[in-house]
Amino acid sequence: MNAPTAILREEITPQGCDYEIVRRVIEKISLDYRDQPSLETLAAEVGETPTALQKLFTRWAGLSPKGFLQAVTLDHARRLLDSGLPLLETAFEVGMSGPGRLHDLFITHEAMSPGDYKSRGAGLTIRYGYHLSPFGVALIMVTDRGLAGLSFNDAGREREAFEDMAGRWPNATYVEDMAATAPYAARIFDPARWRAEDPLRIVMIGTDFQISVWDALLKIPMGKAVSYSAIAAGIGAPKASRAVGAAVGANPISFVVPCHRAVGKSGALTGYHWGLTRKRAILGWEAGQLSKNG
């Protein structure tokens, strides 16, 4: 890694967002979903009034805490699978009369050549910046060819997030440049700016197998989820579920390449590189976006 240019300066760390309260509520829901915790119980957990929490959570997710619970609990996922659905069609389970228009990120993507990947980023300049997002602090990394990295972290863990991402391409030159990454942050997290006529450019930097898995993830619509085994079958490697799981976990462009839509064969949400609570948060947020547009 080019150490002189891979320095995090404290003053670029953004402070404060609704996600911290939302995260604590989601953790409570995740732990106690079988008890169906009331709004009053959830509000007491985070030191808010029920009215204030209802407004904050609904503004953030597009769903009430109760609607969110219905959308993403494991018990709910199992019911969907038991009913014979191969996908977790959360859009139908949050009160929608029909599928409506499915909003999703419209992107155009390309992959670096195998030689580029094997060089571990040598000769590549990656610009990075930290931005507030609906899911905590987002670290965004871009090249002159488009978005190359997006990860999430909680406030105070920015350096750890940077080291995790930069370690994937240790020979690259890293330049802090929030002016370069800000336009990406503005587009990625604003569904009103997801337009087919103005696609988001991304570049995938990985092995051929990883890129085939990430490309498969891009085909999963918002509001649905697919098992690792189904992804493996879809890319012509039906016996490679474990390798698919590893490639999903190594996805460097979180949210945009929707690794959060990959689940275990039983419907369990399983792990997520940036935390299972954040995976539930993203799925619930997406269910809220679908509900708004149903």
Side-chain angles (χ1 to χ4, degrees), residues 135-195:
F135 316 109
V137 179
L139 168 60
I140 293 177
M141 293 183 161
V142 302
T143 72
D144 58 2
R145 294 162 67 177
L147 177 71
L150 194 168
S151 70
F152 297 108
N153 61 270
D154 297 323
R157 303 186 68 176
E158 290 79 12
R159 187 179 300 278
E160 180 181 328
F162 179 88
E163 290 174 352
D164 173 41
M165 292 294 287
R168 300 161 189 255
W169 315 295
N171 297 326
T173 295
Y174 292 88
V175 179
E176 179 216 323
D177 189 350
M178 290 183 68
T181 55
Y184 287 87
R187 290 189 57 184
I188 290 167
F189 301 111
D190 182 2
R193 300 182 65 178
W194 299 353
R195 298 187 180 94

